[in-house]
Amino acid sequence: MRATGVVTATRWAVIVGCGVLAQNPDSKDPASANLLLERNSFAAPHSTTNEFTGFRTIDNWDAGGSASVHRSFVRITPEKQGQKGWISSRVMFSEPEWSLVMELRASGSSPYLYGDGLAIWLTETFEHIEGPVFGREDYWKGLGIFFDTFQNIDQNHHHKHPYIYAMFNDGTKHYVPDAEKPESTNQALPGAHENSGCSFDFRYHEEREDVSVLNHTRVHVYYKDSTLKLRLQQTSIGMEGEWYDCFEMKDVKTPASGYFSVSSATGDLVDNHDIIHFSVRSLAGIKDPIEDYSVWKAAMESKERLTVSEFDLRPAEALQRDYSRVLRAQAQALKELKADLDKTMQSMEFQLAAMGVGISTARSRLEEKTEDLKQVTEKVEKSDAIWRTQELSDAKESVKAMKEEIEAVKRSSGGWGYPFFFLLILLIALAGIGYNRYRKIMKSHIL
């Protein structure tokens, strides 16, 4: 899954620092007009906790449904069936032109079967109501960018999955991902707008040897001059793939003011859907959004290197010049150790989150099986009681009939009636023993 570097405590400080640098009017940086909108953004580490619940929280953002905030990422939905989660900003966004960078991690233990995906929203309303469209209600007002990993085999598609696409809705159209008879007048359809989607394999199979917790997918979306463009890049620690241009929608209008959010859903098929960071910046005064991103990213990396360089001992701080080489080597070792430790912490946090979901799922299944077993036991006991009652009734009737036959034999016969009576009793006893053995055999087969 990816990452330009280790997610450390310096990441958010770097992002904020770049934003402060951008606001400096004396700066000669080409990105001086590019403001980081901190209240509309979030990044690890997430250290704030709710004093009542003890759960981690993010300032100016609400997490709901199955979403949970961890130190290094936000898990929108875990690898569990029937989940819907979201994280939504409480701060109104009103920039006319903007740039959004999001790092996501969609992953799971199955190499072939997974779903359903996630979505980025910019809608007119703050309230997030749970619904069928990737965890959000239908008939939304605004922009939706969908990362769809589920391919419905019952429908014919004009694309392959995973599929990424954008749609605008004025609140009157019903979302239909696979319409047999498309009606663009009252349906929100993938691909309805020209050049509004692409197929891109952003999902990772966790069991692959070359995949780690640091594999992410970077998403860069920007809106400028009535054009919405999205491109993607797969990254990991120390390596970055080529940018892939996904779509470019021309002559579109985003909401003049709205709220950002991210939602996700799973159905019968499942996946982990994680957000590593979500950074929104203004494009006011920026001519080239791609060049602007490169400058901003370089500033982030420079700030991070400057922060990490504090591990190096300056020559003036060394007591003797002969020790400087050793001290610097130790400082470098500390850097590497810090990077390894942070990666280990992320891996453990990722695995613990997955274990928690697995334990919860196993417990739910165990409770279901226990209830099923209880119902079967009750049915067997009830059936056995009815059987015994009926059996007793039949036995009474048989004994009564036998008595009547015996009395009739005694009346119709002479002195040989008693030997016949004993012989009849013996036959009845043998029949009873055989019947009991038969019942035991049948009962053992039933259980």
Side-chain angles (χ1 to χ4, degrees):
M1 298 174 288
R2 51 111 317 25
T4 57
V6 182
V7 181
T8 68
T10 63
R11 179 186 290 276
W12 189 234
V14 169
I15 296 175
V16 174
C18 292
V20 173
L21 174 65
Q23 298 180 57
N24 183 0
D26 299 326
S27 173
K28 297 181 180 181
D29 192 329
S32 59
N34 181 2
L35 307 180
L36 174 71
L37 305 176
E38 183 180 346
R39 299 180 67 195
N40 298 108
S41 309
F42 64 83
H46 306 299
S47 56
T48 304
T49 57
N50 186 299
E51 59 182 356
F52 299 105
T53 65
F55 295 131
R56 294 181 186 270
T57 60
I58 300 177
D59 291 341
N60 303 313
W61 290 78
D62 287 335
S66 62
S68 58
V69 180
H70 298 267
R71 180 183 179 276
S72 303
F73 59 91
V74 178
R75 173 151 293 176
I76 308 298
T77 53
E79 194 175 11
K80 185 178 180 181
Q81 291 181 334
Q83 301 296 293
K84 293 179 181 179
W86 60 88
I87 182 166
S88 56
S89 173
R90 295 193 298 268
V91 179
M92 180 179 290
F93 175 80
S94 57
E95 290 291 329
E97 296 182 331
W98 46 269
S99 174
L100 162 64
V101 178
M102 181 182 78
E103 291 187 7
L104 68 90
R105 178 173 59 215
S107 64
S109 57
S110 174
Y112 307 112
L113 301 175
Y114 43 83
D116 289 338
L118 69 156
I120 302 173
W121 304 92
L122 178 57
T123 57
E124 294 182 5
T125 57
F126 157 72
E127 185 179 15
H128 186 109
I129 300 176
E130 184 178 304
V133 187
F134 295 90
R136 190 186 182 98
E137 65 175 340
D138 203 350
Y139 300 99
W140 70 94
K141 286 186 177 182
L143 167 66
I145 302 176
F146 307 102
F147 298 76
D148 190 352
T149 58
F150 174 66
Q151 181 167 354
N152 191 342
I153 61 176
D154 296 329
Q155 302 288 341
N156 293 323
H157 299 276
H158 64 283
H159 53 260
K160 68 176 184 178
H161 287 70
Y163 186 62
I164 303 168
Y165 54 97
M167 288 193 293
F168 290 87
N169 198 341
D170 58 3
T172 64
K173 296 181 180 180
H174 170 50
Y175 172 75
V176 183
D178 302 295
E180 296 182 359
K181 296 181 179 180
E183 299 179 8
S184 58
T185 57
N186 58 7
Q187 293 178 343
L189 304 169
H193 193 286
E194 183 180 0
N195 194 20
S196 60
C198 72
S199 297
F200 185 84
D201 191 6
F202 61 88
R203 190 260 182 189
Y204 291 90
H205 176 213
E206 294 174 3
E207 302 300 324
R208 274 175 35 182
E209 292 295 331
D210 59 339
V211 170
S212 77
V213 69
L214 297 177
N215 289 102
H216 306 159
T217 299
R218 180 179 297 140
V219 181
H220 182 204
V221 187
Y222 62 84
Y223 178 73
K224 184 174 177 60
D225 297 332
S226 299
T227 299
L228 182 71
K229 185 171 182 178
L230 184 146
R231 59 185 188 143
L232 305 107
Q233 182 186 50
Q234 288 182 319
T235 66
S236 183
I237 182 69
M239 60 182 296
E240 296 179 349
E242 295 292 328
W243 281 103
Y244 178 79
D245 293 329
C246 181
F247 63 73
E248 186 175 8
M249 300 174 66
K250 296 182 179 296
D251 300 322
V252 295
K253 290 185 178 181
T254 61
S257 60
Y259 299 86
F260 278 110
S261 63
V262 182
S263 68
S264 177
T266 63
D268 292 333
L269 301 181
V270 299
D271 248 348
N272 294 310
H273 298 106
D274 303 335
I275 306 300
I276 311 304
H277 78 76
F278 188 93
S279 302
V280 182
R281 296 172 293 119
S282 170
L283 287 182
I286 299 299
K287 294 182 179 180
D288 186 351
I290 294 180
E291 181 183 358
D292 163 73
Y293 168 77
S294 299
V295 172
W296 180 73
K297 179 173 178 292
M300 286 179 60
E301 293 175 346
S302 176
K303 186 73 175 180
E304 188 168 356
R305 285 194 299 270
L306 182 62
T307 303
V308 176
S309 67
E310 293 300 321
F311 287 103
D312 291 328
L313 294 175
R314 297 180 178 85
E317 296 174 336
L319 296 178
Q320 297 182 22
R321 183 174 299 179
D322 293 339
Y323 295 149
S324 61
R325 180 183 60 82
V326 177
L327 293 175
R328 289 187 178 276
Q330 291 178 351
Q332 180 62 31
L334 285 174
K335 293 179 187 178
E336 296 174 356
L337 180 61
K338 182 179 183 299
D340 292 341
L341 178 61
D342 196 74
K343 178 180 177 180
T344 302
M345 289 175 63
Q346 289 189 57
S347 299
M348 291 178 63
E349 186 176 18
F350 182 84
Q351 294 169 7
L352 286 172
M355 288 173 60
V357 172
I359 293 172
S360 176
T361 302
R363 181 178 179 180
S364 299
R365 290 179 178 175
L366 180 60
E367 290 175 351
E368 291 175 0
K369 296 298 182 183
T370 302
E371 184 63 26
D372 291 343
L373 180 60
K374 181 180 178 181
Q375 293 178 3
V376 171
T377 303
E378 291 176 352
K379 288 181 180 179
V380 170
E381 292 177 349
K382 184 176 179 181
S383 176
D384 189 56
I386 294 173
W387 193 357
R388 288 178 180 275
T389 303
Q390 184 64 38
E391 181 183 278
L392 183 60
S393 177
D394 293 342
K396 288 181 178 180
E397 292 295 330
S398 299
V399 170
K400 183 178 179 181
M402 289 179 194
K403 287 182 177 179
E404 293 176 352
E405 291 179 3
I406 291 170
E407 291 296 330
V409 170
K410 288 172 64 178
R411 288 193 299 267
S412 61
S413 62
W416 58 272
Y418 285 104
F420 177 78
F421 172 75
F422 286 120
L423 179 61
L424 181 61
I425 293 297
L426 181 61
L427 291 174
I428 293 173
L430 291 174
I433 293 172
Y435 178 70
N436 285 332
R437 291 183 63 83
Y438 168 77
R439 279 192 63 239
K440 290 181 180 179
I441 293 172
M442 289 300 294
K443 189 172 183 179
S444 64
H445 280 280
I446 291 174
L447 294 176

